[in-house]
Amino acid sequence: MKKCFLISAIALILATKAMACGGEYVTHNWYMFSMYPHYGGTPAYEKQMEQFWRDYSNNRDDYFWFSYNRIKEAADKKGDSEMSTYLDKLNEYLKICEQLRDTWTYPTEQQLNERRQILTRLASSADTYKGTRLRAQYLLLSMRANMVLGRYDVNKKLWQNTGSKMAASPFREKMRNIYANALLNTGQRQQAWDIYAEQGDVESLRWSVHKFRDIAGIQTIAKENPNAPTLRYLVQSFVNDAQETLDYGENADLEFLKEMGTRLVATQEVKQFIAFADQLVSSGQTREPALWKSATAMLHHLLKNDTKALSDAEAAISLAGTDRMHDNARCIRLLVAANGAVGSAQLPDMLVRELQWLDTKIDQQGEDDCYYNNVKDRVFTQTLYNRYKREGQDNMAVAMFAMADAGTYHGYWYEDRKSKEIIPAGYSTEYFYELEKLSVDQLKGYFDFISSNQTSNSFESYVKSHTYRNANYFNDLIGTRLLAQGKFSEAISYLEKVSHDFIAHQNIAWYMENRDFTKPAWIVNQRTTDEYSADDDYQARITTNKKIDFCREVLQLRDVLPLQSGEKRLQTAYKLATVLFQGSHKGDCWFLGQYGSSNCPLDNDLEEGRYDLVEEAIKYLQMTSKSTDFNMQQESIYALAYIPVDDWAEYEYMTETYKPLPKSRRYAALAQLDQFAKKNSSRVARYISKCDVLKQFRALQ
């Protein structure tokens, strides 16, 4: 089986046409309905507990997780024996948790008894601890041990008599979460769910209320208590399941959605929900009408009724509810307005106002809550992109992906500390892929559009001010595209405008510095492991733009060739073949015409619109293979066999053998090399007599 190795920072966009990690296509199908901060389904106190331990250990790493050894070391350095003793007890509990997660190994009776003894001892921690500083931590440890032992009634009393009276802290909130677990296991499910909902413990809600996620379940809970906090989660779950189902429409992979935990919501059930929500709001029974009206707004949008969706979103913004509910309604209003509910004349000013508000929210929330970024991403890449495409505003459509990529959370541009210039990391982004889909003339037009300070409205001005417009980037992009199309003279006119400093920061900088297109790929191996050793601080030393050098070399050799004859002409043809192949997508200098390369079979085909440098190289090698100069003749014949234009044999997995493909071009080239080598066995170079591929070819004859 062939293995595929990416040898540039091209990532997945180019290799798989906008596929996300793991081989899944990026759909931008972010949920627009969110009642909780996006902590990955965990409640806020978990982040706060993490911060407590980070501060205690004075840890400043970008990524932090609780580590007994790390925190214990910090406690010992501080001489904090009180904390050190607590950590030892906590570690005993965590070890048992790890053992419980190991479902492959069933414990012996002795091991079970040992666990029970340890947990029983830990459960009495709150009673045996005589201090005050870690009182909350010890009570939490006791409740944790009781939870594993199934002592739910004990935990209820510990919370009611002690935990609930403690000062606010993440440890107290964790106790309350365990108290909810005790309620759930003693038949008091509604009280438990309400605690989970108030804490934003989406994960616990997901498994404990999954049977109530349909309209019947929601109606049941609302009938018991129309203001139950659990309804926030159930409404969110219903709307997002409806979005997941209806967004894909007839193209939905129903089995996949089920595997992902989505409950399929039919159109009729959506209409039932809308009717129920409208009735509940009208009755005045709910203290959070903004929750229900923002839900109906999103559902009307999914049903293609944007006029009603806009009306409900506007209403939700002014109705009673939490700040999150009002933000949610405002985001849905933006989505609906961008989709067409607001006309082209009024839309620009509204977009600027709402996007500036979103930018403020993003700055406030940081990476802890990606909801606001996801709203921007969906509005740009799905809604506004499609709207501008429908309206024939292709440049604005492409710019929507630039806006999405330039976001704080989904950003792809970084500032180099040394040059203080914005440098593109973006040769593997969806924005880059959109630019790749443009013809050269369209790309030129797009660059002119975003570079111009002339704007037709406020939103266009906003877009241009937030879009990456570095002239180096676009001149290099246009010049590289022209080079790949074989338009070398025109390519030079653009590439000459690109600074060496810019090239030094590209993903292909190492290759630009270290590869040489004048060395024959079939004789000189330039693909070494050194290319992978460059770390993030690697700084290429670029003294010349090899893309320009390549174009000039090809043009010069082409000009000279018709003026020559005999062996001198063949020498020029050989040089030309060498340079052309090296600059092709199969050569060592692939970076001249593209920004990434791999040896995956799907990436070896010549892209549409590119000039076939390999074909021209083969034409010259066929010419030089008839040279009277033995060295040139053998190098040319060997080169024809080396160039991987196609497969000369295919691997049959059932028999684990190779089957020759006599009709292939490379098979014919290897047959020619074989005949030449046999005829000149005493004279051929070592690279021919020791060639592994030639030996394999002969073995299959």
Side-chain angles (χ1 to χ4, degrees):
M1 180 178 291
K2 292 184 178 180
K3 294 182 179 179
C4 300
F5 299 96
L6 288 175
I7 57 174
S8 173
I10 196 62
L12 292 169
I13 300 287
L14 293 182
T16 57
K17 302 304 181 189
M19 291 176 73
C21 55
E24 296 293 339
Y25 281 89
V26 177
T27 64
H28 302 280
N29 184 33
W30 306 111
Y31 292 140
M32 292 294 97
F33 200 88
S34 171
M35 292 295 101
Y36 306 99
H38 285 192
Y39 290 112
T42 58
Y45 67 75
E46 294 285 3
K47 292 282 290 186
Q48 294 163 1
M49 287 179 68
E50 177 186 288
Q51 189 61 47
F52 173 88
W53 293 117
R54 178 191 281 269
D55 292 341
Y56 182 83
S57 60
N58 196 31
N59 188 286
R60 296 294 176 262
D61 293 344
D62 291 339
Y63 299 99
F64 177 86
W65 63 94
F66 179 88
S67 165
Y68 164 75
N69 292 331
R70 183 189 304 166
I71 309 300
K72 173 79 170 176
E73 181 182 355
D76 291 342
K77 282 184 178 180
K78 294 179 179 183
D80 190 350
S81 58
E82 185 179 15
M83 179 66 82
S84 184
T85 300
Y86 166 73
L87 288 169
D88 289 340
K89 294 179 182 296
L90 176 61
N91 193 47
E92 286 185 283
Y93 168 77
L94 295 176
K95 283 182 178 179
I96 290 176
C97 290
E98 285 298 319
Q99 293 168 7
L100 292 172
R101 292 191 188 99
D102 181 9
T103 58
W104 291 100
T105 306
Y106 193 79
T108 64
E109 186 64 30
Q110 180 181 352
Q111 289 173 325
L112 289 172
N113 288 331
E114 289 175 355
R115 284 183 193 174
R116 277 192 292 268
Q117 290 172 7
I118 294 172
L119 289 169
T120 301
R121 175 169 50 80
L122 293 177
S124 64
S125 297
D127 294 329
T128 58
Y129 175 66
K130 302 305 180 183
T132 57
R133 179 167 67 102
L134 303 179
R135 188 162 166 256
Q137 283 91 326
Y138 271 99
L139 183 58
L140 172 58
L141 182 58
S142 292
M143 293 184 69
R144 280 173 154 169
N146 283 325
M147 178 176 63
V148 178
L149 290 168
R151 297 175 176 177
Y152 305 118
D153 288 328
V154 175
N155 270 348
K156 286 164 68 174
K157 290 179 181 178
L158 282 174
W159 169 256
Q160 292 164 352
N161 297 334
T162 309
S164 62
K165 299 172 184 177
M166 286 185 168
S169 74
F171 301 100
R172 180 186 183 276
E173 280 303 298
K174 180 68 175 178
M175 288 181 232
R176 186 170 177 240
N177 189 268
I178 294 175
Y179 170 63
N181 171 269
L183 291 172
L184 191 65
N185 282 282
T186 55
Q188 297 171 275
R189 68 182 190 188
Q190 188 60 63
Q191 295 95 315
W193 293 343
D194 287 348
I195 292 174
Y196 289 148
E198 289 167 3
Q199 291 185 326
D201 187 355
V202 175
E203 197 60 43
S204 294
L205 286 167
R206 185 176 290 123
W207 64 263
S208 63
V209 304
H210 68 279
K211 293 182 179 179
F212 292 82
R213 290 163 61 194
D214 59 5
I215 182 60
I218 292 171
Q219 288 173 330
T220 298
I221 301 298
K223 185 176 180 180
E224 294 176 5
N225 179 7
N227 295 297
T230 311
L231 288 169
R232 297 178 186 176
Y233 170 76
L234 289 174
V235 171
Q236 172 182 289
S237 178
F238 184 91
V239 175
N240 289 339
D241 284 343
Q243 176 187 315
E244 196 76 80
T245 307
L246 299 179
D247 257 359
Y248 289 104
E250 295 178 355
N251 297 320
D253 184 341
L254 302 183
E255 289 304 316
F256 172 75
L257 293 178
K258 288 179 181 178
E259 289 175 8
M260 295 298 291
T262 301
R263 194 188 70 82
L264 304 181
V265 182
T267 300
Q268 185 57 37
E269 189 178 2
V270 171
K271 292 178 179 178
Q272 289 175 342
F273 180 97
I274 292 173
F276 174 74
D278 287 342
Q279 182 274 325
L280 187 63
V281 172
S282 298
S283 70
Q285 292 178 292
T286 175
R287 292 193 296 269
E288 296 178 338
L291 167 68
W292 300 93
K293 272 299 177 184
S294 56
T296 59
M298 187 63 196
L299 294 174
H300 278 302
H301 170 67
L302 293 171
L303 294 177
K304 314 299 184 186
N305 187 355
D306 277 347
T307 301
K308 187 67 172 91
L310 184 63
S311 173
D312 281 7
E314 292 278 10
I317 292 171
S318 59
L319 289 171
T322 65
D323 290 342
R324 182 66 169 209
M325 291 173 190
H326 294 141
D327 285 357
N328 189 76
R330 192 167 176 176
C331 290
I332 293 171
R333 180 181 66 176
L334 170 61
L335 175 73
V336 173
N339 195 53
V342 173
S344 299
Q346 296 79 27
L347 184 63
D349 290 344
M350 179 188 179
L351 287 175
V352 172
R353 181 178 67 251
E354 296 306 294
L355 289 169
Q356 288 175 339
W357 168 75
L358 273 177
D359 290 338
T360 301
K361 297 297 293 188
I362 291 167
D363 291 339
Q364 291 172 350
Q365 300 297 324
E367 293 187 7
D368 286 338
D369 187 359
C370 59
Y371 170 68
Y372 301 97
N373 259 304
N374 290 346
V375 170
K376 281 184 66 176
D377 186 79
R378 178 168 176 137
V379 168
F380 283 136
T381 60
Q382 282 200 350
T383 310
L384 287 173
Y385 176 84
N386 290 329
R387 179 169 182 163
Y388 286 126
K389 276 291 186 181
R390 290 195 305 268
E391 295 176 355
Q393 299 188 57
D394 292 339
N395 286 330
M396 280 294 285
V398 174
M400 292 304 96
F401 274 94
M403 294 296 292
D405 280 0
T408 305
Y409 184 70
H410 297 288
Y412 291 99
W413 314 112
Y414 65 93
E415 183 177 359
D416 178 68
R417 290 191 296 270
K418 295 179 181 178
S419 67
K420 299 299 182 185
E421 181 185 18
I422 299 296
I423 302 296
Y427 295 101
S428 58
T429 70
E430 288 182 272
Y431 177 41
F432 176 73
Y433 176 53
E434 286 298 313
L435 295 175
E436 283 283 273
K437 291 193 294 185
L438 301 178
S439 68
V440 171
D441 287 340
Q442 288 172 331
L443 184 57
K444 293 176 183 177
Y446 174 74
F447 180 45
D448 290 341
F449 168 74
I450 61 168
S451 300
S452 172
N453 292 323
Q454 294 182 349
T455 59
S456 58
N457 57 60
S458 58
F459 181 57
E460 188 177 311
S461 178
Y462 175 86
V463 169
K464 290 183 177 181
S465 68
H466 286 74
T467 301
Y468 183 76
R469 300 192 288 175
N470 190 308
N472 282 300
Y473 179 79
F474 284 94
N475 283 318
D476 183 73
L477 208 58
I478 294 168
T480 301
R481 187 82 65 79
L482 290 167
L483 184 156
Q485 293 179 358
K487 301 175 182 178
F488 303 123
S489 295
E490 189 179 357
I492 292 173
S493 67
Y494 283 92
L495 294 171
E496 284 178 329
K497 301 173 185 177
V498 182
S499 72
H500 289 174
D501 182 63
F502 178 86
I503 298 170
H505 290 85
Q506 287 182 299
N507 62 330
I508 57 174
W510 188 94
Y511 303 94
M512 186 75 80
E513 180 184 12
N514 292 282
R515 295 283 175 86
D516 185 348
F517 56 76
T518 64
K519 295 179 179 179
W522 39 88
I523 303 297
V524 181
N525 178 25
Q526 298 187 64
R527 298 192 180 229
T528 67
T529 56
D530 293 343
E531 61 201 66
Y532 303 109
S533 64
D535 57 27
D536 292 337
D537 295 327
Y538 173 77
Q539 181 65 56
R541 294 173 295 278
I542 303 298
T543 58
T544 183
N545 189 335
K546 287 186 179 177
K547 294 182 182 182
I548 296 176
D549 297 342
F550 172 81
C551 291
R552 287 175 174 162
E553 181 76 2
V554 172
L555 290 172
Q556 189 270 332
L557 291 172
R558 280 179 175 174
D559 287 343
V560 170
L561 188 66
L563 305 177
Q564 296 175 326
S565 60
E567 287 299 315
K568 194 166 187 177
R569 184 169 188 269
L570 293 180
Q571 289 175 0
T572 299
Y574 183 78
K575 288 181 181 178
L576 193 50
T578 297
V579 172
L580 288 169
F581 177 77
Q582 285 286 38
S584 74
H585 64 296
K586 294 180 181 291
D588 295 334
C589 299
W590 50 262
F591 59 88
L592 298 173
Q594 59 199 57
Y595 296 93
S597 178
S598 84
N599 71 349
C600 294
L602 291 176
D603 297 328
N604 286 333
D605 296 332
L606 188 69
E607 292 184 9
E608 184 178 354
R610 290 189 58 153
Y611 178 71
D612 197 340
L613 297 174
V614 175
E615 190 66 29
E616 186 176 350
I618 289 173
K619 180 184 72 173
Y620 293 124
L621 288 171
Q622 288 172 338
M623 181 191 306
T624 57
S625 68
K626 300 177 176 61
S627 172
T628 56
D629 182 286
F630 183 79
N631 283 333
M632 180 177 290
Q633 186 182 30
Q634 74 170 344
E635 284 191 23
S636 300
I637 293 173
Y638 180 74
L640 289 168
Y642 167 89
I643 294 176
V645 287
D646 54 14
D647 291 329
W648 66 271
E650 64 179 356
Y651 185 74
E652 294 186 338
Y653 295 97
M654 296 298 293
T655 60
E656 296 184 350
T657 59
Y658 281 94
K659 177 184 177 182
L661 299 172
K663 294 183 178 180
S664 71
R665 193 172 191 174
R666 198 175 181 199
Y667 184 95
L670 280 165
Q672 181 184 11
L673 177 64
D674 180 37
Q675 185 179 12
F676 178 83
K678 288 176 179 177
K679 183 178 179 181
N680 301 279
S681 58
S682 62
R683 301 175 62 193
V684 293
R686 183 180 176 83
Y687 59 79
I688 294 178
S689 61
K690 299 295 182 180
C691 178
D692 290 339
V693 177
L694 182 58
K695 290 178 181 178
Q696 185 181 19
F697 176 82
R698 288 171 172 172
L700 292 179
Q701 302 308 305

